[in-house]
Amino acid sequence: MRRPPLILGGGPAGSAAAITLAAGAAGGARPVVIERTSTPGDAICGGFLSWRTLEALARLGVEADALNHARVTRLRLFTRTRMLETSLPAPGIGVSRARLDALLLDRAARSGAGIERGVTIREITDGAARTADGATLSADALFLASGKHDIRGSARPAAARGADPTLGLRTRRIGSAPRQVGDAIELHLFDRGYAGVVMQEDGSANICLAIHRSRLTEAGDPDRLLQALAAEVPAFGERLAGDAAPIDAIANVPYGWRARHGMDGLFRLGDQAAVIPSLAGEGMGIAIASGASAARAWLAGEAGAAWQQRFAAQTARPLMVAGAVRAMAERPGRFAALLPIAARLGVIDAVAAATRIAHR
Ligand SMILES: Cc1cc2nc3c(=O)[nH]c(=O)nc-3n(C[C@H](O)[C@H](O)[C@H](O)COP(=O)(O)OP(=O)(O)OC[C@H]3O[C@@H](n4cnc5c(N)ncnc54)[C@H](O)[C@@H]3O)c2cc1C
């Protein structure tokens, strides 16, 4: 009998793997999730879940209404001078990561997975994971789901970050912002970056930015950066009204990176498998698709390397399309005039469809 698989990280990718592995374990190989946080955190994320991701979550036993009763039905795009609004192909939702991650991990536990919280993996070496307190955890398969955080021995290459790396910044607003945002997912486009704004289940507006470091360097600090962006796109400034939550940040998001080759015994999931530009709102879709798919492959007797290559092929089109759209979104001065034409020609719907991952 194979030894129980170990899942390193309890975000959407790790939980999807745990639920699928536990459901297929049939008496043996009960999976164990190792999660460094002791209580559900609130990862830096735009919090938008597409219709396709909601279907995948429902198959894992997490219904959309448990996340948020409200639906996001429209996309609103802002540049300095323009606003464009269009219907989404199907409703999505906005949800805090604290809520999503807690429900998914709870579902994994109820499916039979073991959950070890407050344990940090420091290194992966010779097919085993070493914890911060020096223990070595061995398993027939490691499912690497540490997301935005790299682990020594399996880190994504620094070159993937580029010469002017992208930062993720997140804050929230309560008060006047909710009325403006309503049932839309908003994208505010700036020089060298963009912000997504969406309402969450707790009534706050989640404001999440992906922006090149050079903009932060020019502004001096995150607060002054937000002021500069508010001056650049006035509607964004209006969204910043209301009671402010602190600004959280994450450095060096390697958008566009994919694990093209695999290694037997190691399944790279979620952001450790492929990092899609966040304006596509599909990172969590990829995380869930990868977790479920890798778990099924392992249950079917696969060792990892071939699965990783297949998953990389599956992510190629969504990443390529999202990368091209991101390149234009970060130069709104040059491309903003094309937006109304793109909407009339159905290009926005086509992009929304082409950036979704297939859940097989
Ligand atoms: C600015 C920004 C906006 C985004 N907006 C959206 C959006 O609107 N919609 C969308 O679908 N996607 C969005 N994404 C992408 C999305 O956040 C990620 O793709 C998704 O979180 C990946 O899930 P994951 O499970 O791979 O990793 P994560 O969500 O990062 O989870 C990793 C888990 O592993 C744990 N962990 C990390 N290191 C260790 C360790 N050493 N030991 C043990 N545990 C560890 C962490 O605590 C965490 O719980 C956005 C990303 C950014 C940067």
Side-chain angles (χ1 to χ4, degrees):
M1 191 194 293
R2 293 197 285 180
R3 286 176 298 173
L6 270 183
I7 300 157
L8 313 178
S15 289
I19 295 166
T20 311
L21 286 166
R30 178 175 172 258
V32 177
V33 179
I34 311 288
E35 166 56 44
R36 67 178 184 164
T37 59
S38 311
T39 52
D42 205 2
I44 295 177
C45 184
F48 172 76
L49 292 174
S50 77
W51 50 100
R52 193 72 74 73
T53 307
L54 292 175
E55 289 166 9
L57 282 169
R59 282 194 291 276
L60 293 175
V62 175
E63 296 295 335
D65 278 343
L67 299 166
N68 190 347
H69 286 287
R71 294 292 178 270
V72 176
T73 62
R74 289 180 290 162
L75 167 68
R76 210 175 284 137
L77 283 165
F78 290 93
T79 65
R80 179 195 287 272
T81 53
R82 289 170 189 273
M83 193 280 273
L84 186 139
E85 189 171 298
T86 180
S87 296
L88 288 174
I93 65 167
V95 66
S96 69
R97 285 296 302 273
R99 178 142 188 91
L100 175 67
D101 291 14
L103 284 187
L104 273 169
L105 264 187
D106 181 57
R107 179 78 198 146
R110 282 190 287 118
S111 304
I115 314 287
E116 297 289 338
R117 296 206 77 133
V119 180
T120 300
I121 304 298
R122 279 274 178 265
E123 187 175 13
I124 294 177
T125 172
D126 300 329
R130 195 153 8 252
T131 67
D133 58 10
T136 298
L137 308 174
S138 303
D140 282 0
L142 298 178
F143 290 78
L144 177 58
S146 58
K148 299 165 180 73
H149 305 275
D150 287 316
I151 293 179
R152 202 187 313 143
S154 64
R156 298 163 297 182
R161 297 161 187 169
D164 185 8
T166 305
L167 315 172
L169 296 175
R170 193 266 313 277
T171 184
R172 290 203 192 87
R173 290 296 183 274
I174 49 174
S176 60
R179 276 199 305 280
Q180 300 157 337
V181 181
D183 64 347
I185 168 79
E186 293 189 346
L187 278 178
H188 297 254
L189 309 184
F190 315 109
D191 172 33
R192 286 169 279 160
Y194 51 86
V197 185
V198 75
M199 296 303 300
Q200 299 186 147
E201 80 286 354
D202 59 3
S204 66
N206 191 43
I207 301 176
C208 201
L209 295 93
I211 195 132
H212 285 276
R213 190 167 63 191
S214 55
R215 290 273 341 221
L216 179 64
T217 308
E218 285 162 20
D221 63 43
D223 282 314
R224 275 184 276 185
L225 174 61
L226 289 186
Q227 285 167 25
L229 299 177
E232 193 171 319
V233 177
F236 182 66
E238 291 164 19
R239 279 23 175 202
L240 292 176
D243 296 336
I247 303 173
D248 303 314
I250 181 155
N252 302 328
V253 185
Y255 286 133
W257 179 81
R258 284 186 293 154
R260 289 162 193 266
H261 305 288
M263 201 177 117
D264 283 344
L266 182 71
F267 293 81
R268 300 184 76 106
L269 312 180
D271 280 2
Q272 290 290 325
V275 188
I276 191 165
S278 48
L279 83 178
E282 191 62 356
M284 290 187 275
I286 289 180
I288 287 159
S290 64
S293 162
R296 285 195 301 269
W298 189 80
L299 288 167
E302 283 199 47
W307 174 83
Q308 200 78 56
Q309 283 191 8
R310 281 204 310 279
F311 193 72
Q314 219 181 313
T315 56
R317 187 188 67 178
L319 261 69
M320 195 258 293
V321 175
V325 173
R326 174 191 177 212
M328 290 190 273
E330 291 180 346
R331 293 181 192 82
R334 196 178 299 176
F335 294 104
L338 297 177
L339 282 175
I341 305 165
R344 265 202 304 282
L345 295 177
V347 173
I348 293 177
D349 276 8
V351 165
T355 49
R356 297 307 119 198
I357 185 88
H359 294 261
R360 293 175 180 151

